[in-house]
């Protein structure tokens, strides 16, 4: 076996690759992968059907500018929560990548999941790898057209279900599936033009992505795929071929191990199972989504020929090349963990501390103040009240007592439905004999009928203009 120092080669992209027909393999990592992928797929399909407080638990209602997430209502001014959430997710992904490599790509990315589904359809209709390659090369006849049509039809159905599920997060399952109209004798779903357009776009995108783009999306378009090599270091988990153990590769008689050969029997099984069509023995490649299919395939071969498993395995550069233990517990992991825990803590605190009632006080822009018939100075305001709970509430407005100032309301109580906003005109009167000249701070408090929710805001009462 070769004992020369080895450096893991890094390969550039090959955009001229032919269509990949992977062989489906069984093994430990593929089982974990399938559980992860189908769990996430089921979550995506089921979540829009879950109800919370008589409303779709997760609904991104863009038309009314309201997002509902399990009993929490978010208005446009709350969207910083989502921005913060995405920052945390991006940081978590970065941290996971530094330590565990591209686990997201191999085990959870929608592109991987849908490509896997589409490739399974091809396998189901045509057969395993060799049959699919032969099928591609075969001349077109009626049987080929029929099989291709069946594949395209199933792909289309999967794409349509995906698009409908996507849109149901925005439109709501109720409106999407149970709102029908009749055009003559034919019942048709009562979808707006926008809904139809988005169903069309998502169906097309899913079909093209999973049917044709596949690994090209990961290698040429996805920014994460392009950047991941920058995040890798010597202790990052990677799927790698043990060059020193495997080379020189070559076929041999069963049950033998010629001295001049390494452990790789050149069966090419690792290449045949690769969903992106690369040869892991060539080194680190951008196309490698670290799905570990080649690990399972090679382990199966090693078992068959009676060699130890792990010729292709999850390892790190430090372990494989420098023959040292991987340094997992470094100052970096503590720093990253503390930062991530801090960010999640801040998000949870702001979410739980948030009062689902919003008020905004705007002064009448036309006039600073006016004098009424009784000789009192009047300031006018608009108090915008938004009920951000999932229940109906009656709200009252009160002013913090202030000598010489009194509050006048159009209604004593304001009933608001869940998510509803109302601009309430409010006037404050001041007796010029009692109040200070100039500006006086005033505080208005809006309270729900049972006192559960209460928010105060300050503004100014002014005598200017008199
Ligand atoms: S599966 Fe293992 S033995 Fe077969 S070619 Fe790949 S590395 Fe060599
Ligand atoms: S090289 Fe191995 S781990 Fe990488 S994508 Fe191919 S099969 Fe998956």
């Amino acid at each position: 076996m070769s004992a020369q120092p080895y450096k893991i080669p890094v390969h550039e992209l090959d955009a001229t690759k032919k269509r990949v027909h992977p062989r489906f393999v069984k093994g430990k990592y593929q089982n974990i992968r399938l559980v992860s992928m189908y769990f996430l797929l089921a979550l995506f399909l089921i979540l829009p059907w879950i109800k919370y407080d008589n409303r779709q638990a997760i609904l991104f209602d863009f038309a009314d500018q309201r997002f509902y997430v399990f009993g929490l209502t978010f208005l446009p001014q709350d969207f910083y929560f989502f921005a913060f959430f995405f920052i945390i997710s991006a940081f978590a992904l970065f941290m996971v990548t530094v330590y565990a490599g591209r686990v997201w790509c191999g085990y959870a990315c929608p592109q991987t999941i849908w490509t896997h589904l589409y490739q399974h359809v091809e396998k189901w209709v045509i057969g395993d790898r060799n049959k699919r390659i032969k099928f591609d090369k075969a001349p077109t006849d009626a049987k080929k057209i029929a099989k291709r049509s069946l594949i395209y039809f199933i792909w289309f159905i999967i794409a349509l279900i995906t698009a409908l599920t996507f849109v149901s997060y925005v439109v709501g399952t109720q409106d999407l599936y149970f709102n029908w109209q009749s055009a003559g004798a034919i019942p048709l779903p009562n979808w707006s033009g926008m809904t139809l357009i988005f169903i069309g776009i998502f169906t097309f995108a899913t079909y093209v992505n999973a049917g044709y783009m596949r690994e090209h999306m990961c290698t040429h378009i996805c920014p994460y795929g392009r950047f991941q090599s920058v995040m890798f270091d010597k202790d990052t988990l990677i799927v790698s071929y043990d060059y020193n153990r495997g080379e020189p590769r070559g076929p041999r008689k069963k049950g033998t191990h010629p001295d001049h050969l390494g452990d790789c029997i050149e069966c090419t099984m690792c290449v045949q199972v690769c969903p992106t069509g690369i040869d892991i023995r060539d080194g680190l490649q951008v196309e490698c989504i670290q799905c570990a299919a080649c690990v399972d395939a090679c382990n199966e071969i090693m078992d068959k020929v009676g060699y130890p498993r792990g010729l292709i395995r999850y390892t790190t550069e430090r372990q494989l090349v420098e023959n040292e233990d991987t340094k997992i517990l470094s100052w970096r992991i503590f720093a990253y963990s503390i930062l991530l825990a801090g960010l999640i803590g801040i998000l949870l605190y702001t979410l739980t501390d948030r009062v689902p009632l919003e008020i905004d006080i705007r002064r009448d822009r036309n006039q600073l103040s006016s004098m009424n018939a009784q000789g009192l100075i009047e300031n006018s305001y608009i108090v915008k009240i938004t009920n951000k709970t999932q229940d109906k509430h009656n709200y009252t407005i009160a002013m913090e007592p202030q000598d010489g100032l009194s509050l006048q309301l159009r209604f004593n109580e304001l009933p608001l439905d869940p998510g509803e906003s109302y601009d309430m005109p409010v006037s404050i009167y001041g007796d010029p004999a009692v109040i200070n000249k100039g500006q006086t701070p005033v505080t208005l408090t809006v309270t729900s009928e049972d006192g559960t929710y209460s928010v105060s805001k300050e503004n100014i009462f002014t005598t200017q203009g008199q």
Side-chain angles (χ1 to χ4, degrees), residues 241-242 246-247 249-250 252 263-273 279-281 293-302 305 307 311-312:
Y241 167 68
D242 191 337
E247 299 297 312
R249 63 185 82 160
R252 68 217 58 194
D263 279 359
C264 175
I265 64 165
E266 184 68 313
C267 63
T268 71
M269 203 51 86
C270 50
V271 183
Q272 294 182 35
V273 297
D279 187 342
I280 189 72
R281 295 171 300 169
C294 53
V295 178
D296 283 329
C298 191
N299 280 343
E300 206 182 311
I301 297 295
M302 292 294 107
V305 295
Y307 299 167
L311 178 56
I312 300 176

Side-chain angles (χ1 to χ4, degrees), residues 28 80 100 108 115 130 172 184 196 221 262 279 290 297 316 325 394 450:
K28 183 172 88 179
Y80 66 90
T115 300
N130 293 342
L196 263 172
I221 299 172
D279 187 342
Q290 296 199 4
T316 63
D325 286 344
N394 290 328
D450 53 1

Side-chain angles (χ1 to χ4, degrees), residues 6 234 316-325 327:
Y6 168 63
K234 283 183 180 178
T316 63
E317 193 181 337
R318 193 183 296 280
Q319 221 169 42
L320 189 71
V321 180
E322 297 175 6
N323 221 1
E324 287 175 15
D325 286 344
K327 290 180 187 163

